[in-house]
Amino acid sequence: MKSYPVVLILVLSTALWRCTTSQPELSVTSEEFGALPDAVVNLYTLTNANGMQVKISNYGGIITHLYAPDANGQLGDVVLGYDHLDGYLQASPYFGAIVGRYGNRIAGAAFTLNDETYALVQNNGPNHLHGGTKGFDKVVWAATPSTAEDRALLTLSYSSPDGEEGYPGTLDVTVTYALTNENELKIDYVATTDKPTVCNLTNHTYFNLKDGGASPILDHLVQIEAERYTPVDAGLIPTGELAPVEGTPFDFRQPTAIGARIDADHAQLRHGGGYDHNFVLNGAAGELRLVCTVEEETTGRVLQVYTTEPGVQFYTGNFLDGSITGKNGAVYHKRHGFCLETQHFPDSPNRPEFPPVVLQPGETYKTTTVYKFSVK
Ligand code: GLA
């Protein structure tokens, strides 16, 4: 009898403790991000059970914010971008965006398929870059948020009309972002076409694991599982060679600071103004495998990249020039962010010797890339 009050107090205090120390809840919420003349654009916040968050807009499928824990459990934004849609509309070097229909460059902005030559939009000197003037980074995607037991999801769909930016065939694309309770951001790309076409989808997030872009990324340690890379000409078009990384500043087979050799006297680094190169990833394309590891020692943050793709474009933000002020007033100077754009090799439509990028009607294009966050 006497124990009733004690039991009651215990039950109440447990309930109170539960409330005050409540676990973050796995969720997806949405708010308005801004308006275009013909559409309202949303920003979706995916939260996992550890409190990690990713914010994604259905404009360009852009990852605007990504809060990852440091070694003390403090969440910090580790990607470059803008607070408002306006910034993305005014000037964005593909911050956080889905890139397509073809990621990276196609030489001469043309390719031939089944004896027919297709002229693409020229938006990078004489060449075609990242899908053209209005690529997948600048279109509004239909968005469906959802949750599953261990992940928060955002499914984005876009139907690219036949002839858009010069490409043949209607391409129906679905990109699914999933933030899992393992602190992984998993991206699944799926596409189908009604005519033979080329397809190479990626994401162009700029990371800075230290502070999201306020300082240089030169101290980050990078490991890339690649024995070879694809050297380029002065227009950043692959020469066709698969050159060994051994004995060059492109050897990232052991963890190496980005800045250790970035200004070395090497023709390829001069062409890129630093690293802006496709690495030929080890292992079998089509299988999800660990391809890159990046560590930032002051915060202890670690990023691991897994992909089914045969290549990755390692780009060190060489074209950032301080003209963009992004989130929280951070000025994005040269090399304040790095990208790991998983992909098929640049200019593959003109390089029969590279892994193929042609998609036929009846086939399904499917690739997966995972950005996994942890601490050391
Ligand atoms: C890619 C390209 C770079 C540059 C950036 C965007 O990484 O390879 O040359 O176009 O995108 O600025």
Side-chain angles (χ1 to χ4, degrees):
M1 278 297 173
K2 261 193 191 158
S3 64
Y4 273 137
V6 176
V7 170
L8 193 66
I9 286 169
L10 262 179
V11 168
L12 283 176
S13 55
T14 309
L16 188 70
W17 178 81
R18 282 236 168 103
C19 284
T20 49
T21 59
S22 69
Q23 287 273 310
E25 215 180 305
L26 186 91
S27 63
V28 187
T29 59
S30 128
E31 64 196 283
E32 198 176 311
F33 193 43
L36 298 173
D38 53 349
V40 171
V41 166
N42 288 332
L43 188 64
Y44 297 86
T45 302
L46 282 61
T47 306
N48 72 8
N50 313 316
M52 186 177 157
Q53 281 192 331
V54 184
K55 291 179 187 272
I56 303 167
S57 175
N58 62 325
Y59 177 77
I62 294 174
I63 296 169
T64 62
H65 302 72
L66 197 159
Y67 297 94
D70 67 10
N72 300 318
Q74 291 296 312
L75 292 173
D77 191 1
V78 297
V79 302
L80 281 67
Y82 291 104
D83 277 312
H84 302 286
L85 178 66
D86 284 354
Y88 294 100
L89 300 179
Q90 274 156 32
S92 176
Y94 306 92
F95 286 143
I98 297 173
V99 174
R101 181 176 305 200
Y102 197 94
N104 213 280
R105 293 177 178 78
I106 297 178
F111 66 95
T112 301
L113 191 56
N114 302 333
D115 296 330
E116 192 148 347
T117 298
Y118 295 94
L120 304 171
V121 169
Q122 294 182 343
N123 64 330
N124 190 247
N127 304 318
H128 178 86
L129 174 66
H130 291 332
T133 314
K134 189 176 178 186
F136 293 178
D137 57 301
K138 295 185 186 70
V139 302
V140 177
W141 296 67
T144 310
S146 63
T147 54
E149 204 186 332
D150 64 337
R151 61 195 60 203
L153 300 121
L154 184 69
T155 303
L156 299 173
S157 318
Y158 175 66
S159 182
S160 171
D162 187 6
E164 191 174 42
E165 301 293 313
Y167 292 101
T170 310
L171 190 75
D172 288 316
V173 189
T174 299
V175 176
T176 304
Y177 287 107
L179 178 63
T180 74
N181 289 344
E182 302 293 314
N183 287 0
E184 300 158 322
L185 178 65
K186 181 168 182 265
I187 314 178
D188 287 304
Y189 304 86
V190 175
T192 55
T193 182
D194 61 0
K195 284 185 193 162
T197 191
V198 295
C199 185
N200 184 32
L201 306 174
T202 190
N203 178 281
H204 208 299
T205 293
Y206 291 68
F207 296 97
N208 181 324
L209 301 181
K210 192 179 199 170
D211 53 28
S215 69
I217 40 89
L218 299 174
D219 291 341
H220 286 57
L221 299 177
V222 169
Q223 184 168 357
I224 305 176
E225 310 300 333
E227 304 290 327
R228 292 172 299 168
Y229 74 110
T230 52
V232 289
D233 65 17
L236 299 180
I237 300 293
T239 59
E241 194 193 349
L242 305 183
V245 297
E246 188 161 12
T248 77
F250 293 84
D251 189 347
F252 282 95
R253 292 174 299 173
Q254 297 299 320
T256 308
I258 294 176
R261 304 157 304 182
I262 199 166
D263 291 319
D265 184 19
H266 191 283
Q268 285 300 314
L269 291 170
R270 282 195 293 278
H271 289 330
Y275 297 103
D276 190 352
H277 293 79
N278 172 69
F279 285 72
V280 179
L281 296 170
N282 297 341
E287 275 169 34
L288 193 64
R289 65 228 191 271
L290 176 67
V291 295
C292 307
T293 304
V294 186
E295 285 176 30
E296 203 289 306
E297 289 189 315
T298 64
T299 58
R301 288 197 180 97
V302 178
L303 166 63
Q304 288 172 307
V305 183
Y306 298 77
T307 192
T308 59
E309 289 279 22
V312 67
Q313 187 82 9
F314 178 44
Y315 171 58
T316 46
N318 313 309
F319 296 124
L320 298 174
D321 59 4
S323 61
I324 290 177
T325 300
K327 290 177 285 181
N328 297 315
V331 179
Y332 300 146
H333 291 287
K334 186 171 176 175
R335 301 178 182 160
H336 277 208
F338 66 89
C339 302
L340 290 165
E341 303 155 62
T342 54
Q343 62 183 5
H344 273 60
F345 307 169
D347 199 29
S348 296
N350 293 309
R351 286 280 170 195
E353 69 273 32
F354 286 174
V357 290
V358 174
L359 184 67
Q360 301 287 354
E363 290 178 352
T364 303
Y365 171 99
K366 257 189 187 169
T367 70
T368 298
T369 292
V370 177
Y371 296 97
K372 184 178 167 80
F373 295 85
S374 58
V375 291
K376 203 177 155 171

